[in-house]
Amino acid sequence: MFTQYKDVLTHLPEYSKNIFRKGYFKWLFGQMKSWSKFSWGLIGFNFIVQILLAIQGSATVPLSHTIIGFLSANLSVLCVVGISNKSAIQGWFGATSAICIAFNAYLAHNYADMTLQLFYLVFLDIFCILSPSWNDDIKVHSIGGLKGWLKYIVFFFVAWGIIYYVYGLLNDPRLFLDSLTLAVSLTGALLEFNLAKEQFVFWILGSVITLALWGQTAMMGDANWALFASYSVFLLNDMYALFGKNGWFRKQEIVTGFGDKQVTITQ
């Protein structure tokens, strides 16, 4: 994964040409045609739920919170569905949803979650946009036994302790869950950078904890239930990405490349 970062940064002028080239957006949106019925079902279900939540919450939550929550929830679901389908358009959905969720988190005073979204924007989404083949030919491996797990567990607790202290200085109203969300997600990101298949343990755990965070945020009146609903969809998508017939660790055909260089390969 770090090799991919180095490659993009050292050949930035070349990679930047991937954006806005002729037929670029037609190619991006064309990838969505191959998304599974389950994926489209999640998108449609979430959209309907978000409309109902926006209407229901408009009486108690400021209009600005309602609008940004609606955008955050729908764009984020499009992003995670794009990830599970290994589509390059995930970069654009990820970048726009990260900006919206970060703003939503700022309004709700979930400062650690705001930091997490900006981390995703800078270190994941931008690189996915620059390199349409970012997810191609990724070979995951196991971290091994107890010794392999131990270093990541130590990283998690050290990160959580530092995050808890720093954001405590900001009077974070949901310090425990907010700091826990960031620590779990950073550990998952570290596992992802090291191409470890156990990363999904932390992504699923992160989805559950983030559900609790935004559920508590809604109950305290600092947001509506939009992001709680979308993170519920994330959890379903995680399950599908792990156990579906086109799951991350199953052999499958994917389309890679752009334009004349586009080919279908079997993984």
Side-chain angles (χ1 to χ4, degrees), residues 84-86 245-254 265-267:
S84 67
N85 285 279
K86 297 187 178 181
K245 66 178 182 179
N246 293 321
W248 278 93
F249 305 125
R250 299 176 185 270
K251 289 185 177 180
Q252 57 187 285
E253 290 187 345
I254 64 170
I265 60 176
T266 300
Q267 290 188 328

Side-chain angles (χ1 to χ4, degrees), residues 189-248:
L190 182 62
L191 283 159
E192 180 182 357
F193 291 151
N194 288 324
L195 302 179
K197 66 181 182 181
E198 288 85 355
Q199 62 182 275
F200 278 102
V201 172
F202 281 88
W203 292 136
I204 292 172
L205 181 61
S207 294
V208 173
I209 295 170
T210 310
L211 268 174
L213 171 64
W214 284 101
Q216 187 179 57
T217 303
M219 287 189 289
M220 293 175 69
D222 290 328
N224 64 8
W225 292 89
L227 285 175
F228 178 87
S230 67
Y231 278 106
S232 299
V233 175
F234 288 6
L235 188 58
L236 289 174
N237 189 70
D238 287 341
M239 296 296 101
Y240 177 73
L242 273 176
F243 304 114
K245 66 178 182 179
N246 293 321
W248 278 93

Side-chain angles (χ1 to χ4, degrees), residues 37-205:
K37 292 181 180 179
F38 178 82
S39 295
W40 283 110
L42 285 180
I43 294 169
F45 172 75
N46 179 70
F47 183 74
I48 294 172
V49 169
Q50 295 304 329
I51 290 177
L52 295 175
L53 288 175
I55 295 172
Q56 181 271 333
S58 61
T60 56
V61 178
L63 180 61
S64 59
H65 290 54
T66 300
I67 293 174
I68 198 67
F70 181 82
L71 292 174
S72 300
N74 284 289
L75 287 169
S76 59
V77 168
L78 283 167
C79 173
V80 296
V81 168
I83 292 172
S84 67
N85 285 279
K86 297 187 178 181
S87 300
I89 198 171
Q90 63 160 296
W92 287 101
F93 286 140
T96 51
S97 66
I99 293 171
C100 289
I101 295 176
F103 186 47
N104 204 73
Y106 172 76
L107 293 174
H109 309 298
N110 290 335
Y111 300 120
D113 195 33
M114 179 188 71
T115 303
L116 176 62
Q117 298 306 319
L118 296 177
F119 174 88
Y120 287 154
L121 175 65
V122 174
F123 292 103
L124 291 176
D125 301 325
I126 290 177
F127 284 91
C128 286
I129 291 172
L130 289 171
S131 177
S133 58
W134 182 259
N135 286 318
D136 295 350
D137 196 29
I138 295 177
K139 306 300 181 183
V140 296
H141 61 82
S142 176
I143 61 176
L146 180 61
K147 186 177 180 180
W149 273 106
L150 186 60
K151 60 182 180 181
Y152 288 103
I153 293 173
V154 170
F155 173 84
F156 162 72
F157 279 107
V158 171
W160 189 17
I162 295 173
I163 293 166
Y164 190 93
Y165 173 76
V166 171
Y167 287 91
L169 299 176
L170 299 176
N171 297 318
D172 190 314
R174 287 161 291 275
L175 181 58
F176 178 83
L177 286 175
D178 201 16
S179 61
L180 184 58
T181 297
L182 180 54
V184 168
S185 298
L186 287 179
T187 307
L190 182 62
L191 283 159
E192 180 182 357
F193 291 151
N194 288 324
L195 302 179
K197 66 181 182 181
E198 288 85 355
Q199 62 182 275
F200 278 102
V201 172
F202 281 88
W203 292 136
I204 292 172
L205 181 61

